[in-house]
Amino acid sequence: MGRGSSPGDLTIPDDARGVVLFAHGSGSGRHSPRNQAVAAALNERGLATMLTDLLTEAEEQLEATTRHLRFDIGLLTERLLVASDWLAHDPSTEHLPLGLFGASTGAAAALSAAAQSDPERVYAVVSRGGRPDLAQDALAQVRAPTLLIVGGLDTTVLALNRDALEQLQTERDLSVIPGATHLFEEPGALEEVSRLAGDWFEHHVPK
């Protein structure tokens, strides 16, 4: 995938109406139990999902000590665009409109990728505990309807998301989950993330 290749896990339910590409956050990947749980919930709603590692195995090993790539939004965006292009040309997904789901720093990559993509290709973006401030230059260029989901106790990230909401020029919304922290580990918090994300993607997927 541009400056390296990365594996991905694609799940396509019967009669899928769209596909959601996941952009994982710092220190995370396609095996993240949180994103896998959200992906499974989206699959139940008839949406295909693609979970892919945005860093190669060698980069992940280097990142464990240097921690310099997790904030390289340009690199993460490039990898995400390559994955998006693959989905647009693979026979099993080429007919499906694309949604983007980003977590933590991956949310910045998702927003940046949406800003650089054909507006008719990306139909919606969802950010979970995201850092949209890291894509600040791209926010005003995003055309896809965007939902920002933040835990009510994740105060620093919540403030950053409120600022980003004002900079977005498209249909957008901010959903705050009371009592939830950054990783949404509290009982019922991740289920609420899945519900909100599913509702957003379902509402905006082209008929």
Side-chain angles (χ1 to χ4, degrees):
M1 283 183 143
R3 285 197 274 167
S5 59
S6 301
D9 297 329
L10 176 64
T11 302
I12 306 176
D14 293 337
D15 300 320
R17 293 170 294 143
V19 58
V20 178
L21 175 60
F22 281 66
H24 307 291
S26 56
S28 184
R30 74 186 194 281
H31 298 301
S32 160
R34 288 177 292 278
N35 282 343
Q36 286 186 341
V38 174
L42 296 180
N43 294 153
E44 292 178 0
R45 289 179 177 244
L47 294 169
T49 53
M50 174 75 164
L51 287 81
T52 182
D53 294 331
L54 298 183
L55 297 179
T56 65
E57 184 176 346
E59 289 169 342
E60 287 283 7
Q61 294 176 351
L62 183 63
E63 172 70 0
T65 55
T66 64
R67 299 182 182 275
H68 72 295
L69 293 177
R70 63 183 60 193
F71 293 108
D72 188 342
I73 304 305
L75 173 63
L76 300 181
T77 300
E78 177 187 334
R79 299 285 171 79
L80 198 60
L81 288 170
V82 170
S84 170
D85 187 65
W86 184 88
L87 289 170
H89 291 88
D90 187 82
S92 65
T93 53
E94 62 182 358
H95 63 292
L96 297 176
L98 177 68
L100 298 175
F101 182 97
S104 191
T105 54
L111 289 163
S112 182
Q116 298 179 45
S117 299
D118 184 342
E120 294 185 0
R121 169 64 175 152
V122 178
Y123 73 89
V125 179
V126 173
S127 162
R128 171 182 66 80
R131 290 290 309 275
D133 56 298
L134 298 176
Q136 191 162 4
D137 293 341
L139 292 179
Q141 307 303 318
V142 176
R143 294 293 173 261
T146 299
L147 173 65
L148 308 177
I149 305 173
V150 187
L153 299 181
D154 194 8
T155 54
T156 299
V157 172
L158 179 55
L160 294 171
N161 276 259
R162 282 176 171 151
D163 289 342
L165 191 73
E166 297 301 317
Q167 298 178 56
L168 288 165
Q169 303 298 309
T170 185
E171 179 185 348
R172 73 272 194 203
D173 197 8
L174 171 64
S175 291
V176 180
I177 300 180
T181 53
H182 186 63
L183 295 180
F184 299 91
E185 295 176 310
E186 296 71 24
L190 194 59
E191 287 80 3
E192 182 64 3
V193 169
S194 299
R195 184 190 69 80
L196 291 168
D199 287 350
W200 191 263
F201 284 124
E202 272 195 333
H203 178 71
H204 290 96
V205 67
K207 304 302 181 187

